[in-house]
Structure formats: structure tokens, C-alpha cells
């Protein structure tokens, strides 16, 4: 189909590919070609495509009840909230439909907490350069990426960004108006940058010292992606509040904010809402995803696959030093900093029938489904080698 007569707003530069079905880590196009999918819809398809357990959960719920609104108690929502709280630091959960919405609620709750506790002047959120929290105006203001804000009028106030991952630099930004700190334990869109366990621990201490809140955006790095259910567990810290989305729905649009009691409890009736958020269909799927990720051996599998993949990738870096300069991320959230334009790599890999995703800072992102197999990782490495050889030949260079 010619894209020139598409009725879709041109917000995306789309590849000329139309997938019509999927199975595990594999996608099939309308012409029957198979692609190995290491993009997972950008860290969404936790269990790959068309996982039988998710299909069963969705189908069973769809035959009972899809949607009722939050004017009523929703048992499927209660169940998923209990599962999430049992498995995390959290006591209270608010459900919505996407990462940006979850970030937005996190921001609102962090401010409301201080307002309710007699410090309404504490409104400023400290974020970080290279962060991404989604595309609502507040989420964009929190990340402070000017390119995404240009043309959209006045940005919401009360956000500052720290230019470096330095505790001293963060502490300099803290003043009487600070409500809290907002950070992704592993930056996704910004270039798969792991901020490090020491840094997270330091932020926790700073928040405790200054009586401000630590809000984590685990929309991309959460739900098993790094080998723990949540990435902050590697640092042995707990946040006050956390946004999740992407992986929790396994492909069904689902987001959530998890908070400890005192923070979540400030969100009283009237303070926020969502028509679809936490509806039976989404929560039934979310429960099935979480059951699978928390099943015995699942996270150990993520760890093993990550170690296996990263060993091969380290060798790839040695062999193709003219193409890659750095291996980043944690677990199965993998970034390769590229020397040529990362989109050249994405395109060359697509020619090898292998799907990857670009990220900021000229990084190639590899986000396989978490139930990926060793055989599929071998195929991924072969595709990467083939793409590198072609790029090398094109660019007329050797090592
Ligand atoms: C993708 C992403 C978001 C935004 O999620 P949407 O579902 O696209 O709104 C927010 N934060 C992080 C860390 C993300 O990776």
C-alpha cells in the first residue's frame, strides 16, 4: 500500500512491513516472510507473540466481561493489585493504560503527597538528561527533551533536569521546593543507560535525608526485563512510588502506578481517574503475564539467556570494533552503541529478517521476549554478524 494516501497521522517513519501474525519470538508478514523479533513491540511482548497462556486468559475473560468502569469494584483489578503488591515494595496500585499515563500519575501523587502533608510548595521534580517518561506534556516536561516540547506551547512548570549521573550534582538541585526525584533505573529511549546500583542507593539516601520522594519509571526496565521483577531490586532499595506499563500487559495496553501506603493514600476520590484503567480484560491478561514471570525458574531463565547473549555480544564487539563501541544495559535490555548511524544497523538487520529498535545516543536496542531460547539468540548473533559484514563492505572498510 502506498503510504502517500494513508489516513494515519505521519508521527512515525514506518518500515515497509505489515505483520499479520506472530508466534513466540517470530513475526510473519502479509507475504508470508518470517522475522525474528528482538524489538518485542518495544519491550512489550514479555512472553513473545500469541503466548497460549495469555491468549487463554484474554479469551476466557472476553467471554465473561470486558469493561465495567471504576464506579464498581473489579475483582480482576483487586487480584492483579494484590499480586503486584505481594511481589514488590508497594501497598497500593492505580491502573491505567500506558506508560505516559503512569508517569503522569506518579508526578501528580509525588506533588500531592507534600500538599497533603502541609508542604504545598514542594512541587519540583528532579529528572535526568536522556530520560524518557512518555508523551504527555508533564511527562515531556519531566524529561526536558526540548526537541519533543518544541511547538507545543508552554510546558508545565516545576521540573528540572540533572545533566549528569552525579549525586553531588543532584543534591545541588534540591531546595525547599523539591518534591522528589524521578528516574529510570535503566534509561531506555535515551540509549539503554544503566544508572547503576550505587547511584540508585545514593538517590535513596538523598531522598531520605531531604524528606523528598523517590519515583522510579520502570515502564521499560520492569517486569523481568533485567532479570529481576523490577530493576531497582538489583540495588536493594525501594522507591516511594513507581510507574510500570509496557511488559505488564504483554501486548494488552496496561499501565500502573505502585506506591507505598503513605504516598498512594493521598490519591483520594476525585484526585485522579481513568475510564478504562484496570478494566477486567486488561487485568486478566496482566495477571497471566505476572503469573508467568513469577513462575519458578522464569527469571533465572532471563538471567541465563542474558549471560549467554552478552558473552556472544562481547565477542561481536571485539570482532566489529569499527561498528560497535559499547555494550550496555542490564539483563535482556541490551544496547549496542554504534559507530555508523544506528538506523543503518536497524535497516541492515531488517534485511536479515531480524527486528531491532533504535534508541538515543546512537544506540541499537535489542529487547527479545523474555522466554527467548538459546537457539534464537544464536540466530540473532548470526544476523548481527551478517549485517555488520554488509555494512563494513558498504563503507569500504575493514577493522
Ligand atoms: C515507553 C516509555 C514510557 C511511555 O510509555 P507509553 O506507553 O508510550 O506512554 C514512559 N517511560 C519509559 C521509561 C518508557 O520506556
Amino acid at each position: 500500500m502506498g503510504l502517500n494516501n494513508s489516513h494515519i497521522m505521519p508521527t512515525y517513519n514506518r518500515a515497509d512491513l505489515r505483520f499479520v501474525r506472530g508466534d513466540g519470538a517470530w513475526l510473519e508478514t502479509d507475504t508470508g516472510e518470517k522475522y525474528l523479533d528482538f524489538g518485542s513491540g518495544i519491550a512489550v511482548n514479555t512472553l513473545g507473540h500469541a503466548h497460549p497462556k495469555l491468549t487463554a486468559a484474554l479469551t476466557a475473560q472476553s467471554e465473561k466481561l470486558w469493561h465495567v468502569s471504576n464506579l464498581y469494584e473489579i475483582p480482576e483489578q483487586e487480584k492483579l493489585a494484590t499480586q503486584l503488591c505481594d511481589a514488590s515494595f508497594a501497598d497500593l496500585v492505580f491502573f491505567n493504560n500506558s506508560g505516559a499515563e503512569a508517569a503522569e500519575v506518579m508526578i501528580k501523587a509525588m506533588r500531592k503527597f507534600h500538599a497533603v502533608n502541609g508542604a504545598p510548595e514542594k512541587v519540583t521534580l528532579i529528572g535526568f538528561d536522556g530520560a524518557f517518561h512518555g508523551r504527555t506534556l508533564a511527562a515531556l516536561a519531566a524529561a526536558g527533551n526540548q526537541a519533543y516540547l518544541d511547538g507545543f506551547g508552554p510546558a508545565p512548570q516545576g521540573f528540572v533536569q540533572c545533566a549528569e549521573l552525579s549525586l553531588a550534582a543532584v543534591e545541588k538541585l534540591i531546595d525547599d521546593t523539591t518534591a522528589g526525584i524521578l528516574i529510570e533505573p535503566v534509561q531506555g529511549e535515551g540509549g539503554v543507560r544503566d544508572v547503576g546500583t550505587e547511584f540508585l542507593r545514593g538517590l535513596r539516601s538523598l531522598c531520605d535525608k531531604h524528606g523528598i520522594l523517590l519515583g522510579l519509571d520502570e515502564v521499560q526496565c520492569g517486569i523481568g526485563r533485567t532479570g529481576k521483577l523490577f530493576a531497582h531490586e538489583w540495588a536493594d532499595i525501594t522507591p516511594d512510588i513507581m510507574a510500570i506499563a509496557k511488559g505488564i500487559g504483554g501486548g494488552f495496553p496496561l499501565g500502573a502506578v505502585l506506591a507505598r501506603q503513605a504516598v498512594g493514600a493521598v490519591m483520594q476520590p476525585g484526585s485522579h481517574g481513568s475510564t478504562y484503567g484496570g478494566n477486567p480484560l486488561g487485568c486478566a491478561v496482566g495477571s497471566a503475564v505476572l503469573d508467568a514471570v513469577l513462575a519458578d525458574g522464569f527469571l533465572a531463565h532471563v538471567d541465563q539467556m542474558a549471560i549467554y547473549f552478552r558473552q556472544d555480544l562481547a565477542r561481536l564487539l571485539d570482532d566489529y570494533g569499527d561498528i560497535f563501541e559499547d555494550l550496555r544495559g542490564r539483563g535482556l535490555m541490551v544496547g549496542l552503541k554504534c559507530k555508523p548511524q544506528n538506523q543503518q544497523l536497524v535497516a541492515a538487520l531488517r534485511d536479515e529478517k531480524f527486528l531491532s529498535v533504535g534508541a538515543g545516543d546512537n544506540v541499537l536496542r535489542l529487547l527479545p521476549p523474555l522466554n527467548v531460547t538459546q537457539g534464537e539468540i544464536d540466530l540473532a548473533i548470526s544476523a548481527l554478524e551478517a549485517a555488520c559484514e554488509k555494512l563494513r563492505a558498504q563503507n569500504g572498510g575493514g577493522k
Side-chain angles (χ1 to χ4, degrees), residues 81-261:
T82 301
Q83 284 175 291
L84 285 167
C85 290
D86 285 350
S88 74
F89 72 95
D91 305 301
L92 295 168
V93 182
F94 179 88
F95 288 105
N96 47 32
N97 322 284
S98 68
E101 286 173 283
E104 187 92 13
V105 185
M106 177 160 67
I107 291 163
K108 287 177 73 174
M110 287 170 84
R111 288 178 169 176
K112 187 84 169 178
F113 173 81
H114 294 292
V116 165
N117 286 292
E121 72 284 1
K122 290 193 185 293
V123 296
T124 308
L125 277 305
I126 299 174
F128 292 86
D129 278 7
F132 183 78
H133 302 297
R135 299 288 196 150
T136 64
L137 284 169
L140 289 174
N145 183 337
Q146 202 50 47
Y148 291 166
L149 283 161
D150 274 352
F152 296 111
Q157 300 295 295
F159 298 94
V160 293
Q161 289 80 35
C162 192
E164 40 177 341
L165 298 175
S166 138
L167 294 172
V170 174
E171 192 160 25
K172 268 197 207 135
L173 292 174
I174 298 174
D175 62 24
D176 291 344
T177 72
T178 306
I181 297 170
L182 211 58
I183 191 166
E184 304 156 76
V186 185
Q187 282 188 348
E189 304 301 314
V192 194
R193 267 203 305 175
D194 184 351
V195 306
T197 54
E198 284 308 314
F199 190 66
L200 284 180
R201 282 183 203 133
L203 290 182
R204 178 70 270 173
S205 303
L206 279 183
C207 287
D208 294 341
K209 178 176 162 193
H210 293 277
I212 59 175
L213 300 177
L214 180 60
L216 297 183
D217 183 342
E218 292 225 18
V219 167
Q220 192 160 153
C221 60
I223 313 299
R225 178 58 51 190
T226 67
K228 301 261 191 209
L229 183 59
F230 298 114
H232 67 263
E233 293 170 28
W234 290 106
D236 251 325
I237 56 144
T238 59
D240 298 294
I241 186 164
M242 174 174 75
I244 63 171
K246 294 197 166 93
I248 183 61
F252 195 97
L254 182 61
V257 176
L258 282 62
R260 66 179 174 83
Q261 180 69 33

Side-chain angles (χ1 to χ4, degrees), residues 154-373:
Q157 300 295 295
F159 298 94
V160 293
Q161 289 80 35
C162 192
E164 40 177 341
L165 298 175
S166 138
L167 294 172
V170 174
E171 192 160 25
K172 268 197 207 135
L173 292 174
I174 298 174
D175 62 24
D176 291 344
T177 72
T178 306
I181 297 170
L182 211 58
I183 191 166
E184 304 156 76
V186 185
Q187 282 188 348
E189 304 301 314
V192 194
R193 267 203 305 175
D194 184 351
V195 306
T197 54
E198 284 308 314
F199 190 66
L200 284 180
R201 282 183 203 133
L203 290 182
R204 178 70 270 173
S205 303
L206 279 183
C207 287
D208 294 341
K209 178 176 162 193
H210 293 277
I212 59 175
L213 300 177
L214 180 60
L216 297 183
D217 183 342
E218 292 225 18
V219 167
Q220 192 160 153
C221 60
I223 313 299
R225 178 58 51 190
T226 67
K228 301 261 191 209
L229 183 59
F230 298 114
H232 67 263
E233 293 170 28
W234 290 106
D236 251 325
I237 56 144
T238 59
D240 298 294
I241 186 164
M242 174 174 75
I244 63 171
K246 294 197 166 93
I248 183 61
F252 195 97
L254 182 61
V257 176
L258 282 62
R260 66 179 174 83
Q261 180 69 33
V263 179
V266 304
M267 300 302 275
Q268 289 288 313
S271 62
H272 198 69
S274 170
T275 299
Y276 288 126
N279 86 359
L281 213 45
C283 288
V285 178
S287 277
V289 171
L290 210 54
D291 279 341
V293 172
L294 292 174
D296 266 359
F298 188 90
L299 290 173
H301 173 81
V302 175
D303 254 347
Q304 282 159 15
M305 290 303 105
I307 291 167
Y308 183 73
F309 196 18
R310 283 170 181 279
Q311 272 170 359
D312 281 350
L313 289 169
R315 190 177 44 73
L316 198 79
L317 239 73
D318 283 345
D319 291 350
Y320 297 96
D322 51 326
I323 298 196
F324 298 120
E325 61 176 79
D326 193 14
L327 172 59
R328 297 180 176 185
R330 195 177 273 270
L332 289 178
M333 187 166 174
V334 174
L336 288 164
K337 186 161 165 65
C338 303
K339 288 186 176 169
Q341 273 297 310
N342 59 351
Q343 288 303 333
Q344 269 190 289
L345 259 301
V346 172
L349 286 165
R350 210 158 51 222
D351 290 343
E352 301 300 322
K353 305 234 179 333
F354 177 85
L355 301 178
S356 60
V357 191
D361 202 21
N362 206 34
V363 164
L364 177 75
R365 228 176 333 170
L366 303 172
L367 305 161
L370 302 186
N371 54 358
V372 68
T373 64

Side-chain angles (χ1 to χ4, degrees), residues 36-57:
L36 181 55
D37 182 13
F38 272 40
S40 298
I42 314 186
V44 165
N45 303 106
T46 308
L47 303 180
H49 300 280
H51 192 282
K53 281 187 181 155
L54 301 195
T55 304

